[in-house]
Amino acid sequence: MTGITLDWSVDEWLAYLEAIHPVEIELGLARVSSVAEKLGCLRPADRVILVGGTNGKGTTSALLAALLRAQGMSVGIYNSPHIHRYNERVTLDGEFISDSDLCRSFQAVEDARGDTSLTYFEFGTLAALWHFSQTAPDAVVLEIGLGGRLDAVNIVDADLSVVTSIGLDHQAWLGDTTEQIAYEKCSIARPGRWLVCGQQTPPATAAETVSAIGGLWCCRDSDFTADLRDEGLEVSYRVSGVDKTLKFPEYSIPHHNVATAVQALGLMGWLPQDDVIVQTVAALRVPGRWQVVRQNERTYVLDVAHNPQAAAYLRHHVDRVDCLVLGMLSDKDVAGVIEALPEPDRIITVTLDTWRGLSADALAERIELTGRVVADRFDNMEDALTAVPEEGVILIAGSFYTVEAAGELITAREGTWNSI
């Protein structure tokens, strides 16, 4: 069909993307790089930032972009997965890509790929890069989808790389040890350019990988810090060889992601004035992470928390959970997440209707192997939400798909969202 203009809607394009490749994930850069060269999108902006990591990619990407925009820059973000609409994956200056621009980008990739087979993610990545190359923002922040070394996003010519955290996740593709995963994630480094790592005491393979590539290594606690104090968050970081400290009385994203973003932009000389940094951090809200809605005597807390590292961080910020509504993918560490999350009075499992999704029964079986009891099992989120208590804290977690389904239903009831 190459060369033919396809008058399709976004949904029709997405159905096509799902159908043209036999598997959803196929790691490797050769195919996607060859198409990117034809499209001329390997350098989609004057400033290009790569963001990888096990957890915190979305919040860190959002803060990096917000801090750049606070200086008057035009900034694009590419991330995944989306919460409600595919268009959320591609934003420019806070606005989602329009249906017409998205379809035009898909068409450009289709015209360029010829006989080259592309996965859903690769096709979408190329469409985003092409869109940015056409709109010419001052900067783009590009979130790695899975791993780093062989992820489609890693084809770009990047000025700065960030690895937010390193933990066990996606072991089927990345390896069974944090050492292996550190190698995969830190392989987004570039010769002579900074890679900033937000992980405390990362595996030795992290710095070794950056060094082997010829990159410049900057790591949390060795080069910058994020300290929680009674009056808020204190971040110490370095700019042009000078140590600086900033205090943040208000922030709604994990403290270590704040520090990582500030240090990364500081190394590049891309930070705004101190007061602007503090104001920007205080104002930032990221959908699907740290969201609260209160309805009468019931408080919903929504957070993706799809691996033990993310779940453990959530436990430190939610004092009590009366009910946990959990939906997870089959390749996730269910036992690790359950043990890391705040212990709830009641657990409800819900089926994730996607190719990697666990059924409510299968998820419940994994949970009960940890010694916990599952109260109810439902095939859809709508039924699950009818079974939650009338009052107390309801934690909804486990996957972007879980948060998406719950968020749509809860906001339909005219809830008011707030930050934790």
Side-chain angles (χ1 to χ4, degrees):
M1 292 193 296
T2 302
I4 301 174
T5 300
L6 302 171
D7 188 18
W8 285 348
S9 67
V10 170
D11 287 342
E12 288 171 320
W13 270 110
L14 295 178
Y16 175 64
L17 269 56
E18 290 174 345
I20 61 174
H21 198 81
V23 295
E24 184 168 345
I25 297 172
E26 181 180 343
L27 296 177
L29 302 183
R31 290 172 296 102
V32 69
S33 293
S34 68
V35 181
E37 288 178 2
K38 294 178 184 177
L39 290 167
C41 60
L42 289 170
R43 180 72 179 175
D46 289 339
R47 300 170 182 82
V48 179
I49 304 173
L50 283 178
V51 181
T54 304
N55 296 301
K57 295 190 296 289
T59 52
T60 304
S61 295
L63 181 53
L64 288 165
L67 290 170
L68 292 171
R69 289 187 62 203
Q71 302 168 72
M73 294 187 196
S74 174
V75 184
I77 307 178
Y78 174 59
N79 57 20
S80 63
H82 55 277
I83 300 294
H84 302 292
R85 299 172 58 218
Y86 186 93
N87 306 57
E88 297 168 24
R89 297 184 180 214
V90 185
T91 63
L92 183 59
D93 294 335
E95 299 292 331
F96 301 145
I97 189 172
S98 67
D99 284 1
S100 59
D101 283 341
L102 184 55
C103 291
R104 185 160 47 250
S105 299
F106 285 149
Q107 181 73 60
V109 176
E110 177 67 10
D111 290 343
R113 75 179 183 89
D115 295 330
T116 302
S117 178
L118 296 170
T119 67
Y120 179 98
F121 182 75
E122 290 168 342
F123 205 115
T125 297
L126 288 168
L129 296 178
W130 184 82
H131 175 68
F132 292 141
S133 70
Q134 300 301 299
T135 52
D138 297 309
V140 292
V141 180
L142 308 173
E143 184 182 317
I144 294 289
L146 192 156
R149 181 174 64 94
L150 299 177
D151 185 87
V153 180
N154 196 34
I155 62 174
V156 299
D157 177 15
D159 300 291
L160 170 67
S161 300
V162 175
V163 173
T164 56
S165 62
I166 300 169
L168 290 174
D169 202 7
H170 299 298
Q171 287 98 313
W173 292 278
L174 305 180
D176 294 324
T177 67
T178 54
E179 288 76 12
Q180 291 173 301
I181 290 174
Y183 163 69
E184 294 291 339
K185 293 188 181 299
C186 290
S187 290
I188 66 172
R190 297 292 187 267
R193 297 177 183 177
W194 287 104
L195 184 141
V196 178
C197 180
Q199 177 68 43
Q200 287 181 304
T201 59
T205 49
E208 290 168 0
T209 299
V210 175
S211 177
I213 292 171
L216 306 175
W217 173 252
C218 178
C219 186
R220 179 181 162 207
D221 283 359
S222 296
D223 300 293
F224 64 99
T225 60
D227 297 314
L228 296 174
R229 304 187 183 281
D230 291 340
E231 63 274 17
L233 168 64
E234 183 174 288
V235 171
S236 297
Y237 61 105
R238 185 166 297 175
V239 177
S240 301
V242 177
D243 291 330
K244 298 192 65 175
T245 299
L246 272 178
K247 295 181 179 180
F248 299 90
E250 298 179 48
Y251 59 98
S252 65
I253 68 174
H255 61 282
H256 43 83
N257 295 337
V258 174
T260 303
V262 168
Q263 177 61 88
L265 293 183
L267 289 172
M268 303 299 293
W270 295 349
L271 278 176
Q273 297 296 317
D274 288 357
D275 60 334
V276 176
I277 299 173
V278 173
Q279 292 166 9
T280 301
V281 168
L284 185 67
R285 301 291 181 271
V286 180
R289 289 106 167 168
W290 299 98
Q291 285 185 294
V292 173
V293 64
R294 296 178 175 85
Q295 294 179 339
N296 300 319
E297 300 302 315
R298 183 189 291 146
T299 299
Y300 291 101
V301 178
L302 272 68
D303 191 279
V304 174
H306 56 184
N307 55 48
Q309 192 179 44
Y313 189 83
L314 185 62
R315 184 174 192 149
H316 289 293
H317 290 77
V318 180
D319 295 330
R320 174 181 173 81
V321 174
D322 296 281
C323 180
L324 168 64
V325 179
L326 194 70
M328 295 188 68
L329 298 177
S330 60
D331 62 334
K332 298 297 183 179
D333 181 2
V334 174
V337 168
I338 282 293
E339 291 167 359
L341 282 173
E343 185 168 355
D345 294 339
R346 183 179 182 187
I347 300 175
I348 295 173
T349 59
V350 61
T351 296
L352 289 192
D353 187 16
T354 181
W355 74 283
R356 286 159 54 210
L358 283 170
S359 69
D361 287 338
L363 177 56
E365 289 174 7
R366 293 198 194 182
I367 291 172
E368 291 184 338
L369 288 174
T370 70
R372 305 283 178 88
V373 176
V374 175
D376 293 293
R377 312 171 186 195
F378 294 97
D379 287 333
N380 60 74
M381 183 60 71
E382 187 169 12
D383 289 343
L385 291 182
T386 65
V388 302
E390 290 294 329
E391 58 185 50
V393 176
I394 317 300
L395 173 60
I396 301 174
S399 171
F400 281 96
Y401 296 103
T402 311
V403 168
E404 174 187 11
E408 289 178 349
L409 290 167
I410 293 169
T411 53
R413 299 173 186 174
E414 299 183 354
T416 300
W417 288 96
N418 300 288
S419 166
I420 288 179

